[in-house]
Amino acid sequence: MDNCRLIELTSHGDNRGSLIALEKEHDVPFDIKRVFYIYDTKRGTPRGQHANKKSEQMLICVSGSCRVKVDNGKGMQEVYELNTPEQALYTGTMLWREMYDFSGGCVLMVIASEYYNPEEYIRDYDKYIELVNGGGI
């Protein structure tokens, strides 16, 4: 998938512990407008299940692990396992995302290129497929 990829993050550490810094244009390929995190997700409960019209995102599992299914609406799906804070999943616009299989204590941080706007979300999968395949936005 062209607009979805794993990004390796640089960890700096010594005997005191580790640190990862995220900088615009170096680690994050867009202007950061919003950061949020998902935590305390009940076992068996998926999150996401939507696409964003304009928002690019980076997902980082800062603690624990989860899986992310990404669907481009044109027959291509990929599943990524996020299980280290040293790796981010970049997702571009108009990709259907579902996060699931959260481990106990999982904290999934999401960095977004857009401010929250409910009109920007596509929450119906059938409508998403229609839009991606020529139904217009």
Side-chain angles (χ1 to χ4, degrees), residues 46-50 67-70 96-100:
R47 300 295 309 259
Q49 298 178 308
H50 65 266
R67 295 182 195 279
V68 182
K69 181 169 72 172
V70 181
W96 188 267
R97 289 178 292 271
E98 179 178 326
M99 294 81 79
Y100 64 99

Side-chain angles (χ1 to χ4, degrees), residues 36 39 46 89 99 132 137:
F36 61 94
Y39 68 100
L89 177 62
M99 294 81 79
V132 167
I137 295 180

Side-chain angles (χ1 to χ4, degrees), residues 3 52-56 90-95 97 120:
N3 58 344
N52 295 90
K53 296 175 186 173
K54 297 182 348 183
S55 186
E56 298 172 80
Y90 167 81
T91 58
T93 61
M94 290 302 291
L95 292 174
R97 289 178 292 271
E120 210 253 320

Side-chain angles (χ1 to χ4, degrees), residues 10 21 23-29:
T10 303
E23 298 176 350
K24 180 180 138 187
E25 296 178 12
H26 184 261
D27 307 287
V28 182

Side-chain angles (χ1 to χ4, degrees), residues 1-5 72 76 78 90 92 95:
M1 229 174 287
D2 292 339
N3 58 344
C4 182
R5 66 185 178 281
N72 73 353
M76 183 178 279
E78 292 189 39
Y90 167 81
L95 292 174

